Amino acid sequence: EVLLVQSGAEVKKPGESLRISCKGSGYIFSSYVISWVRQMPGKGLEWMGRIDPSDSYTNYSPSFQGHVSMSADKSIVTASLQWSSLRASDTAIYYCAREDGWNAFDIWGQGTVVTVSS
Amino acid sequence: QTVVTQEPSFSVSPGETVTLTCALSSGSVSTAYFPSWYQQSPGQAPRTLIYNTNSRSSGVPDRFSGSILGSQAALTITGAQADDDSVYYCVLYMGRSWVFGGGTKLTVL
């Protein structure tokens, strides 16, 4: 079975750093791009950007460029999303999703809840 | 910045057919945008329904279908069921990036 399993919920203070993860299983991890999607409380889905685990090439939505960074480690079949300085407005659920080329997102992680509050 | 627009809400009775649409703020949606559709129930991760305009994801009932209608992408639910009461999102490919629509809250009652 193809799965993306994300790390658990996080509670952080503004200004703190954070890394959340997304571990793939049941497929060749480096063969599929991973996208990250944000869902703020009570709001819709927003595409944040993607990373190609085969070469760690990234491209970010302009809305998120410079505030988050994406990485991937093929050896542990894990993609990560990282913040160096969190804001309260980063409070959201973050999903990773596998991209199947033009077929968009075929597999989704279960989501990681991030709460940023002083 | 390109905006992808969906109906904010829709209401349908069980057994009825409903078509949800996905439009661009400027221009027409075509197959070149590789439209896809996702269903999200409360507290759940999104579920893939339709990809590449009209291909149904594995395990998705055939009452869900995708198409291009005029200048918009469309998701049609033929014979809506109570289980279909969810939020539906479309996604379009914009060349190196994806853009989600705002979602349509479908109420089945």
Side-chain angles (χ1 to χ4, degrees), chain B residues 9-20 77-86 88 104-109:
Chain B
S9 62
F10 230 115
S11 185
V12 66
S13 298
E16 288 186 342
T17 294
V18 60
T19 296
L20 311 181
I77 307 173
T78 303
Q81 299 183 2
D83 276 356
D84 300 335
D85 193 304
S86 296
Y88 294 84
T104 297
K105 172 67 178 83
L106 179 67
T107 301
V108 182
L109 49 69

Side-chain angles (χ1 to χ4, degrees), chain A residues 39 45 50 57 59 104-105, chain B residues 38 40 48 51 96 98 100:
Chain A
Q39 187 166 40
L45 303 173
R50 63 154 68 91
Y57 176 80
N59 70 289
F105 315 117
Chain B
Y38 305 85
Q40 189 179 35
T48 305
Y51 60 91
R96 293 168 53 84
W98 299 96
F100 281 89

Side-chain angles (χ1 to χ4, degrees), chain A residues 23-43:
Chain A
K23 185 178 177 69
S25 63
Y27 73 99
I28 299 172
F29 184 71
S30 58
S31 294
Y32 293 84
V33 169
I34 295 289
S35 270
W36 288 93
V37 175
R38 181 177 78 173
Q39 187 166 40
M40 299 177 75
K43 302 298 184 184

